[in-house]
Each structure stands twice: as C-alpha cells, then as structure tokens.
C-alpha cells in the first residue's frame, strides 16, 4: 500500500500552504500534527488531522510512519532526535538546523538510529529542474562552466504568513538571515543539477534595507572540485513583483535559463539557448508541484529502500557546512572577501 501516514511537527506557513496540500495531492494521509500553538492545531483539525501540543503525543500515533519537521530552524534538532529515537522516518525542512553543531547532531542521530532521513529540498523535485538535470547529464551543454542563481523576496520586520512571530529575523532562532534561509535551496540544487557539490565558497552579506539584525541580502560565489563556478544572489530586500527567481546553467555548447521555477509552486519556464544563440523552450510538467512530488518521492523511498540512495544526511550536512563557511568568509575567515566594510556588511551570525 503506497499511501503513507504522515505527521507534521510545526504546522505553520509551509506546512499548511504547501506540505498538507502536497500530502493530499499525492494520495497520502495527514494523520496528526504537533504544535504548541492552538491556532496551528485548529488549522490541522480543518485538514482532518489530530493535534498534539507535545511531540510524545504525535510519536505515540502508530499510524504516523513519516514525519515532516517544519518548526523554526533552532527547533529542528530536538524534534529530529526524538523522532529518530522513536524510529520514525523524518523529512526535515531546510536549513538542516540553525547551527552546524545541531546539524551534526541530526546526522549522528539518524545514523545511529538507522532511520530514513531526508532534508526537504523540494527544488530537487521540480520537474523543470529534473528536465535540466537530465539534459546536462546527457551532455547537451558540452562542458558545464557555471551556474548562476537569483533567489530573492521581500521579508519585512513584521512578515508572517501564518500569524506566527517572525523568527527569521532572529539569528538565535534562524541561524542567520537571508543567506541561511534562501541559499541552501540553491546550493543543494547545484549539487542535484551537476551531480557534484560546491567545494569552495565565500560570501558578502548586507543589511541594507531592513531594520533587523540579520543579513537581508547575500552574494555567494562557489566552485565545484572539477571547476564549475557558481554564483547565488539571495535577498530579503527585493520587492516580490520584480523578477527574482532565476537559474542559469551555462556550458560550452549552450545554456539553460529557468525563470520562476525556484520556489514552492509548479510552473515557470525553461529555455535552452544553443551556441549560435537560437532559443527553444524546454518542455516539462507545468502542473506538478515540487511539494507533491517531494511527498511522492519520499513515500516511495519509504516503501522501497533501494530508492533511499537519493537521500543523504551527510550530503545535507555538507550543504550546511557551506552555509557556515560562507558566513565565516564574511566574518574574516581569511581570503580576499574577509574584510566587511561598515553597516552594509553587518551581520549577527553566531555558529
Ligand atoms: N522548502 C521551502 O520552500 C520552505 C518554505 C518555508 C519555510 N521553510 C522551512 O520550514 C520551517 C518552518 O517555516 P515556516 O515559515 O512554516 O514557519 P512558521 O513560523 O510559519 O511555522 C512554524 C510553526 O512551528 C510551530 N512551533 C513552534 N515551536 C514548536 C515546537 N516546539 N514544536 C512543534 N511546533 C512548534 C509554530 O507554532 C508554528 O506553527 C523552517 O525551517 C523554514 O526554513 C521551507
């Protein structure tokens, strides 16, 4: 029986707007949630799920086979450790944790309890990205030289999509600002598209627009160990109506340009431009939501252990290390990008 019984820890914005609909669309079942907030539990009740104020109640639900963790970042570790100890499969939101130490503890917990663990990098499941990956692997770009990503939004001090406090602007809960929130998507996507991770990384950050103490923008540069260059511009200070979700994969024989594919929703466009400048659209399933596909893939791997090779806590830990190294390069870790200048480089990250 393929339908999986899900639990959710942290029934806020992403869980309500994307994961619960994804579970439904995939034909799985949301059995129960854990959330200390009565309004969040009431929202889960409207989805037909039981609400628990504490994790023990969720864990005791035998019908919960897999648990999606979508709390603020600093709470991922405690939830994953408890779920791992109980033998539940876990799909944990990105970033893996608010600190590298917590991410390492998560990797240790899931390894020692031998549970099925994945970080919820939904961009891997967007059909546009799957199409690009397949064509890159088939050699359509020739030698891949660079990946360029813009992934930005507007996040004001009072931003809240589900009536929750804005923990994203508090480094002790989020781990940082726009960089730790948005860059993991692109870093993981590069690994997915190229089949190898970024090895070296550096960053400049800014707190340029908003009156909160975390970075509201960052520019990251990276390189794979075989020499592909990457740039990522992530930001909380970009009006949502501007073009702000763009992915380019460049090679010696052409490039892919994906617009509005990064994010939580289906759709967007992908164009292939060949070495002579001729453009052609790349077809993909415009209706398949990355969250629904993520639920399907995780559920399928839960039933068929051979498919779990697509998931790796160690790989996700490397992505987390890149985030920390990017912040540290800004803080003076050595190298040409190490000297922050004035308020435009201020940030409050403390790993
Ligand atoms: N993949 C994506 O595209 C994507 C999008 C948005 C958020 N996220 C990630 O999802 C997570 C949640 O983000 P959000 O925007 O939904 O946050 P949110 O603030 O809207 O929701 C968080 C929920 O967690 C609950 N919570 C707080 N403490 C808890 C505890 N101890 N146990 C259980 N629940 C608790 C809150 O009451 C709230 O309902 C973050 O890690 C974020 O980075 C990922």
């Amino acid at each position: 029986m393929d339908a999986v019984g899900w639990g959710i820890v942290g029934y806020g914005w992403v869980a309500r707007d994307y994961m619960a609909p994804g579970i439904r669309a995939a034909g799985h079942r949301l059995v129960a949630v854990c959330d200390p907030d009565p309004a969040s539990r009431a929202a889960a009740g409207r989805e037909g799920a039981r609400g628990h104020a504490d994790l023990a109640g969720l864990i005791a639900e035998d019908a919960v086979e897999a648990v999606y963790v979508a709390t603020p970042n600093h709470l991922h570790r405690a939830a994953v450790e408890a779920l791992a100890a109980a033998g539940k499969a876990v799909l944990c939101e990105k970033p893996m944790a608010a600190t590298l130490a917590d991410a390492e503890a998560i990797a240790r917990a899931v390894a020692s309890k031998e549970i099925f663990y994945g970080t919820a990098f939904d961009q891997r499941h967007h059909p546009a990205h799957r199409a690009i990956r397949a064509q890159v692997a088939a050699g359509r770009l020739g030698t891949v030289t660079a990946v360029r990503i813009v992934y930005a939004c507007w996040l004001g001090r009072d931003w809240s999509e589900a009536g929750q406090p804005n923990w994203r602007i508090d480094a002790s809960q989020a781990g940082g600002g726009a960089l730790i929130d948005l860059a993991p998507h692109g870093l993981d996507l590069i690994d997915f598209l190229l089949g190898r991770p970024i090895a070296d990384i550096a960053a400049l950050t800014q707190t340029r627009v908003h009156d909160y103490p975390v970075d509201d923008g960052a520019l990251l540069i990276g390189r794979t160990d075989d020499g592909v260059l990457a740039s990522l511009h992530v930001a909380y200070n970009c009006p949502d109506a501007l073009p702000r979700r763009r992915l380019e994969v460049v090679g010696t024989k052409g490039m892919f340009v994906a617009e509005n594919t990064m994010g939580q929703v289906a759709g967007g466009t992908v164009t292939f431009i060949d070495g002579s400048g001729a453009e052609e659209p790349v077809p993909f399933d415009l209706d398949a939501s990355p969250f629904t596909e993520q639920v399907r893939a995780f559920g399928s791997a839960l039933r068929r252990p051979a498919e779990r090779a697509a998931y790796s806590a160690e790989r996700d830990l490397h992505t987390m290390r890149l985030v920390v190294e990017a912040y540290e390069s800004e803080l003076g870790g050595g190298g040409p990008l190490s000297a922050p200048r004035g308020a435009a480089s201020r940030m409050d990250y403390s790993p």
Side-chain angles (χ1 to χ4, degrees):
M1 162 103 165
D2 267 3
V4 170
W6 284 87
I8 295 183
V9 181
Y11 199 68
W13 171 49
V14 70
R16 290 182 213 179
D17 283 15
Y18 300 108
M19 191 61 181
I23 289 170
R24 215 186 309 120
H28 295 193
R29 193 161 73 92
L30 177 57
V31 175
V33 311
C34 159
D35 198 308
D37 175 24
S40 296
R41 295 200 300 277
R46 292 192 288 278
E47 192 67 32
R50 279 184 290 279
H52 298 278
D54 58 53
L55 195 49
L58 180 86
I59 285 173
E61 295 257 10
D62 287 337
V64 170
E65 302 170 87
V67 180
Y68 172 67
V69 175
T71 62
N73 302 340
H74 68 304
L75 300 172
H76 289 182
R77 174 183 176 173
V80 177
E81 285 179 335
L83 292 162
K88 303 281 190 193
V90 175
L91 181 64
C92 177
E93 263 302 345
K94 50 49 63 181
M96 206 171 171
T99 66
L100 184 57
D102 278 5
E104 287 169 343
I106 285 175
R108 273 197 307 275
V110 302
S112 71
K113 300 298 176 189
E114 297 181 354
I115 62 146
F116 174 31
Y117 170 88
T119 307
F121 286 119
D122 54 292
Q123 299 302 297
R124 289 178 170 253
H125 303 281
H126 195 297
H129 303 153
R130 298 204 152 224
I132 294 172
R133 179 182 192 246
Q135 296 196 27
V136 168
R140 195 160 190 212
L141 292 183
T143 301
V144 179
T145 54
V147 182
R148 301 190 286 251
I149 287 174
V150 174
Y151 192 45
C153 63
W154 186 264
L155 188 117
R157 167 175 281 279
D158 298 325
W159 186 88
S160 175
E161 289 286 327
Q164 306 296 337
N166 191 5
W167 54 266
R168 281 179 172 78
I169 62 170
D170 175 359
S172 69
Q173 297 182 74
L179 195 163
I180 196 170
D181 190 31
L182 301 174
H185 280 299
L187 294 170
D188 180 71
L189 185 56
I190 290 167
D191 186 335
F192 178 69
L193 294 173
L194 303 181
R196 61 203 310 150
I198 296 288
D200 302 308
I201 197 156
L204 289 173
T205 63
Q206 64 183 172
T207 304
R208 172 85 173 142
V209 170
H210 296 296
D211 63 344
Y212 46 63
V214 296
D215 48 290
D216 64 14
L219 200 53
L220 296 83
I221 56 170
R223 188 176 52 207
T224 61
D225 63 0
D226 65 343
V228 179
L229 294 174
S231 71
L232 298 92
H233 177 207
V234 294
Y236 280 165
N237 53 29
C238 175
D240 287 339
L242 293 181
R244 60 186 178 86
R245 296 187 287 141
R246 186 178 175 93
L247 161 71
E248 299 176 350
V249 189
V250 190
T252 52
K253 292 184 179 167
M255 69 188 282
F256 291 105
V257 179
E259 288 173 291
N260 299 322
T261 60
M262 294 189 68
Q264 295 86 16
V265 294
T269 61
V270 181
T271 306
F272 176 71
I273 309 173
D274 75 14
S276 71
E279 296 188 9
E280 70 179 68
V282 175
F284 61 90
D285 183 345
L286 291 170
D287 298 320
S289 134
F291 269 78
T292 305
E293 296 307 306
Q294 171 173 250
V295 169
R296 285 205 178 103
F298 195 84
S300 182
L302 184 65
R303 297 282 182 257
R304 299 167 194 82
E307 295 175 16
R308 296 181 193 176
Y311 299 82
S312 164
E314 285 302 319
R315 180 187 64 215
D316 302 338
L317 191 53
H318 175 74
T319 301
M320 187 69 199
R321 280 198 193 100
L322 292 175
V323 167
V324 172
E325 283 173 27
Y327 272 127
E328 285 177 351
S329 75
E330 170 74 339
L331 287 170
L337 298 180
S338 64
R341 276 188 224 116
S345 296
R346 190 178 73 239
M347 54 84 54
D348 277 356
Y349 181 68
S350 48

